[in-house]
Amino acid sequence: MSHLQTSSLPFKERVEQQIHNEIMRKAVIKAQETIGANRQKMVDELGHWEEWRDLSKQFRNHVLANLDAYLYQLSEKVTQNGGHVFFAETAEEASDYIRKVALEKKAKTIVKSKSMVTEEIGLNSVLETEGIKVVETDLGEYLLQIVGDKPSHIVVPAIHKDRHRIHKELHEVLGYEGSEQPEEMNAFIRKVLREDFLKADIGISGCNFAVPETGSVCLVTNEGNLRLATTVPKTHIAVMGMERIAPTFKEVDVLITMLCRSAVGAKLTAYNTWLTGPRLENEADGPEDFHLVIVDNGRSAILESEFKEVLRCIRCGACLNTCPAYRQIGGHGYGSIYPGPIGAVISPLLGGYKEFKELPYACSLCNACNSVCPVKIPLAQLILKHREKMVEQGVTPKIEQLEIKGFTFANSHPTLWNMGVKVGAKAISKFIKNGKPAIKIGALGEWTKARDLPISDGESFREWFAKRK
């Protein structure tokens, strides 16, 4: 199982599990409605939303068109500031570099702030194999880590849990004896984590945006954990997908405005942090050593493909918060650390069709995701493009290929088609019982699981229409 995968179960089994997971579905529905309402307030308050979206799209397209130059400028600035830069072509190269830094520093404890790209490269398991204690310090990520669970949302990783489940797990794993009040549970976790912050040798973070102009990394969070993770330990390692660049702070200003409103329905998150290299001689706090790991892991190939628009993504999760499919099956139904519409596009690109061929079909193509994306990624069209590519490459199930070939042949021969329609209208009622076909195979079997077929009266539509001319 690759680092991207969150489950080894087949797609249909995952979906079946999640559809019957009442706790998850109630939690996701509540979150979607709350975040969606708050987002709309912020959109209305900002005004000229479509112009902001157009501007954000232009910024991200400009970066992608000039990515090589900006990456070079970024690496030069970080080095000038006293930091170290490592370009990782693969997930293995990225995690191996961080592993070597950790061993060189003789690290025993590492604290991490939330980072999707470290999930993508499977960093935790690599470090833990070396006997290093790795602690997720984002509240949601920590709640998942202590029970061996996986994130189900890009921004709100534990969205599938309610406070009753969290209370139960805290009691079972950490011996928590307090109430179910979120404030009390949060205070308990804060006390536990404080010890790890103080003894950590290395702090690892993601990177929302890197600024080549100054060699800075911009980090957007709602908890104080990131600042502790990046300033208390002697070494800070930031890990970023290579496309996560904003040329100057002017662009960062616009993109953060869009990110916060789209992600959680807020003007700004509680903490907006800009870090530029290691601590200087006259500074009171900060790391003594700074490393920036820039991860490709398939992004160069995406940049050269017809899917390059997906690299505009700023990981706000707005598409998940509006998606009707995500509403029903949650993040774990997708079986990828990148769920929802964005996951349906990017997971097959990073992990291949062999592992994620079903995800482009976990979509009704309703275009809701397109309408909320702050950088105007045509997600529904990219999902449809995946379906086309899979048909071209013969990835789709053999029975489906035969069904389509049969339909195409009949549809391209009018005489055969008309004969089939007439015979079918008279014979089909013998094969339908209580709205279901007698043989439930292929697409028809799947389609009728939740739908009833009409009972034929023996007359085709063309025959009915001819009588009424």
Side-chain angles (χ1 to χ4, degrees):
M1 194 167 79
S2 75
H3 304 311
L4 285 169
Q5 288 179 286
T6 59
S7 173
S8 58
L9 290 175
F11 176 70
K12 290 180 181 178
E13 286 188 34
R14 296 198 306 266
V15 168
E16 193 68 21
Q17 276 188 359
Q18 296 307 308
I19 284 177
H20 293 95
N21 186 340
E22 291 299 324
I23 293 176
M24 177 280 294
R25 293 183 67 187
K26 286 180 181 178
V28 168
I29 289 170
K30 182 178 180 181
Q32 280 191 334
E33 291 176 350
T34 301
I35 294 173
N38 290 339
R39 173 192 169 277
Q40 192 57 51
K41 287 178 185 177
M42 292 297 101
V43 167
D44 295 340
E45 181 183 286
L46 184 65
H48 306 287
W49 182 249
E50 290 306 312
E51 292 177 24
W52 282 86
R53 292 179 76 204
D54 286 333
L55 187 59
S56 300
K57 175 182 174 180
Q58 290 172 26
F59 287 162
R60 296 297 293 139
N61 279 345
H62 170 76
V63 164
L64 297 179
N66 300 276
L67 192 55
D68 53 348
Y70 282 126
L71 286 172
Y72 176 78
Q73 183 185 10
L74 175 65
S75 64
E76 290 291 295
K77 279 293 182 182
V78 171
T79 304
Q80 288 174 21
N81 294 334
H84 309 275
V85 178
F86 180 74
F87 286 91
E89 185 176 351
T90 65
E92 291 72 24
E93 286 184 10
S95 56
D96 189 56
Y97 175 82
I98 298 168
R99 179 186 66 84
K100 288 176 180 176
V101 172
L103 293 177
E104 180 187 318
K105 302 290 182 182
K106 297 180 180 178
K108 294 181 180 179
T109 301
I110 293 177
V111 287
K112 287 179 68 226
S113 65
K114 188 179 183 303
S115 164
M116 289 305 298
V117 75
T118 60
E119 292 278 351
E120 180 185 320
I121 65 175
L123 181 59
N124 287 15
S125 60
V126 171
L127 295 173
E128 288 166 350
T129 300
E130 297 292 344
I132 300 169
K133 180 182 179 182
V134 183
V135 183
E136 296 286 353
T137 63
D138 172 87
L139 179 60
E141 292 282 359
Y142 181 75
L143 291 171
L144 299 178
Q145 185 183 36
I146 62 173
V147 294
D149 201 353
K150 294 285 187 179
S152 64
H153 193 285
I154 291 172
V155 177
V156 194
I159 194 173
H160 56 287
K161 295 179 182 288
D162 61 13
R163 61 192 176 98
H164 309 299
R165 174 64 61 85
I166 292 169
H167 177 268
K168 180 175 182 289
E169 291 174 346
L170 284 178
H171 171 71
E172 292 174 351
V173 179
L174 300 179
Y176 173 68
E177 296 292 347
S179 72
E180 289 187 349
Q181 289 300 315
E183 295 82 3
E184 188 174 352
M185 290 190 285
N186 188 49
F188 172 79
I189 295 170
R190 183 188 295 122
K191 186 177 180 181
V192 173
L193 284 176
R194 188 55 57 105
E195 296 180 14
D196 291 312
F197 281 123
L198 296 176
K199 66 183 181 184
D201 306 291
I202 295 175
I204 296 177
S205 74
C207 172
N208 290 98
F209 303 104
V211 185
E213 183 182 46
T214 59
S216 306
V217 293
C218 170
L219 298 145
V220 181
T221 61
N222 271 314
E223 302 170 28
N225 64 307
L226 178 129
R227 293 189 177 177
L228 282 169
T230 57
T231 55
V232 176
K234 291 184 178 181
T235 301
H236 171 210
I237 302 173
V239 189
M240 63 173 277
M242 72 180 207
E243 79 283 8
R244 304 303 295 277
I245 283 179
T248 71
F249 282 104
K250 290 181 180 178
E251 288 81 15
V252 171
D253 184 27
V254 173
L255 292 172
I256 284 183
T257 296
M258 300 300 283
L259 174 61
C260 299
R261 282 170 165 78
S262 299
V264 291
K267 291 181 181 178
L268 282 176
T269 49
Y271 296 89
N272 293 278
T273 305
W274 289 266
L275 301 170
T276 308
R279 182 176 68 204
L280 301 177
E281 290 184 7
N282 60 341
E283 291 179 332
D285 56 19
E288 297 174 1
D289 196 19
F290 173 70
H291 297 257
L292 178 63
V293 179
I294 301 173
V295 180
D296 184 328
N297 197 34
R299 287 165 173 78
S300 291
I302 297 173
L303 190 60
E304 296 174 355
S305 75
E306 59 265 63
F307 294 96
K308 65 181 179 181
E309 289 183 285
V310 77
L311 293 178
R312 289 205 298 266
C313 180
I314 58 176
R315 301 293 192 270
C316 67
C319 58
L320 283 72
N321 298 336
T322 195
C323 177
Y326 180 88
R327 189 183 185 94
Q328 299 302 321
I329 66 174
H332 289 164
Y334 292 82
S336 169
I337 62 166
Y338 295 120
I342 185 63
V345 177
I346 204 168
S347 297
L349 295 172
L350 296 177
Y353 288 136
K354 183 178 179 181
E355 293 181 353
F356 299 111
K357 64 180 180 292
E358 297 94 350
L359 298 199
Y361 292 94
C363 172
S364 65
L365 300 177
C366 68
N367 282 276
C369 50
N370 291 14
S371 66
V372 298
C373 177
V375 289
K376 288 196 165 182
I377 301 172
L379 289 163
Q381 285 65 45
L382 294 179
I383 288 171
L384 187 59
K385 194 180 293 291
H386 268 309
R387 297 183 187 181
E388 293 172 0
K389 297 285 285 185
M390 284 190 284
V391 169
E392 291 170 6
Q393 296 177 21
V395 176
T396 52
K398 295 298 179 185
I399 190 169
E400 181 180 316
Q401 294 177 35
L402 292 172
E403 288 171 346
I404 297 300
K405 284 180 180 178
F407 177 82
T408 302
F409 180 81
N411 200 29
S412 59
H413 293 77
T415 303
L416 182 61
W417 178 265
N418 289 332
M419 185 187 303
V421 168
K422 287 181 180 179
V423 173
K426 292 178 172 57
I428 196 168
S429 59
K430 299 182 185 300
F431 297 93
I432 298 175
K433 187 175 182 180
N434 298 324
K436 306 299 180 186
I439 304 173
K440 301 181 179 67
I441 60 170
L444 183 63
E446 292 295 321
W447 193 83
T448 53
K449 278 185 178 179
R451 304 170 182 85
D452 288 338
L453 290 171
I455 302 299
S456 173
D457 59 4
E459 186 178 42
S460 72
F461 172 77
R462 290 188 179 189
E463 290 173 328
W464 175 91
F465 189 75
K467 294 176 182 178
R468 289 162 175 77
K469 279 189 177 180

